[in-house]
Amino acid sequence: REFEFELREALVRKEFEIHFQPIVDIATCRACAVEALVRWRHPDHGLIPPDKFIPVAEEIGLIIPLGEWILDTACRIAADWPDDVRLAVNLSAVQFRSGNLVEVVRDALARSGLPAARLELEITESVLLQKDHGGLAVLHDLAALGVHIVLDDFGTGYSSLSYLQLFPFSKIKIDKSFVADLPTRSDCAAIVCTVVNLAKALDMGTTAEGVETVEQLELLRAAGCREAQGWLFGRPGAASALVLDQPLAA
Ligand code: G
Ligand code: G
Ligand code: MN
Ligand code: NA
């Protein structure tokens, strides 16, 4: 209860921060996108990661105004980046049930001047699990704005192939659990290759998450994966620390 109260207050007190992590084009190792990742700067407990408060924010409905603030703030910052660098923002399934997500996204783009084509919205399969398929209708309306829809955390959860048939995602993000064991486990390499080839056949791109070593990068490059994100290229940090004009790894 106390935590919920503090969480509600946090938005008013402007205790949330957005950290930014580069996503690179594997061909050039230059940033082609940047993911916005929210944190809570708690006055007593320091920096709290999103998995500690997003589920509660979803439960108490705070994710709606918080999600609007994240989208608005991140779009304003991204509007100053080079034209070939996109912004990736995570959306909660709860935001899809709010009834006005399309307006919220359209307004954030209009206020910031960020072109729709430079915004990627990362969703998880939970959006498509809604029984009434309301999530699917909203996804089509969002895509009609010109933004890209990306399927996050692919390979965890159910990862039913029918989701890929249900909606034409621009890109699939391969979960970091598969990347972590790439060099040592041949089954992970097989899974990564299969997802990359499946995405290609469906005219979708792929981003591998959690890339920490050059060895992993080389395996992903060989597999034909297009984009990579991970500590090898940069940890989530302040927007001012982003390097967007030169390669980020050897
Ligand atoms: O770095 P990391 O701990 O930032 O993020 C963990 C998870 O928290 C991400 O996988 C993502 O699902 C979620 N997350 C991070 N930022 C946001 C956000 O702005 N909105 C939503 N809904 N989820 C986020
Ligand atoms: O939304 P999503 O699940 O994609 O968020 C990405 C998560 O992965 C964030 O929590 C982020 O901090 C984390 N992350 C990003 N790069 C790395 C990495 O190289 N290694 C590990 N272990 N985690 C990472
Ligand atoms: Mn994400
Ligand atoms: Na993910």
Side-chain angles (χ1 to χ4, degrees), residues 17-24 31-39 67 69-79 81-82 84-92 95 105 109 114-123 147-153 170-173 207 209 227-229 236-237 242 244:
E17 297 179 2
I18 304 176
H19 288 200
F20 293 89
Q21 186 181 33
I23 299 170
V24 305
C32 56
V34 173
E35 182 170 6
L37 295 158
V38 71
R39 276 98 179 84
W69 177 83
I70 292 165
L71 204 53
D72 220 67
T73 308
C75 284
R76 283 175 199 273
I77 290 171
W81 297 342
D84 57 354
V85 179
R86 300 178 303 271
L87 165 71
V89 176
N90 293 283
L91 293 181
S92 154
Q95 291 175 275
V105 171
L109 290 171
L114 185 75
R118 282 181 52 204
L119 181 62
E120 295 182 344
L121 298 174
E122 297 194 3
I123 67 145
V147 303
H148 305 279
I149 309 292
V150 176
L151 184 57
D152 204 354
D153 297 342
S170 299
K171 205 158 74 174
I172 297 170
K173 290 187 87 170
T207 301
E209 297 181 323
E227 299 176 5
Q229 176 179 12
L242 283 168
L244 301 176

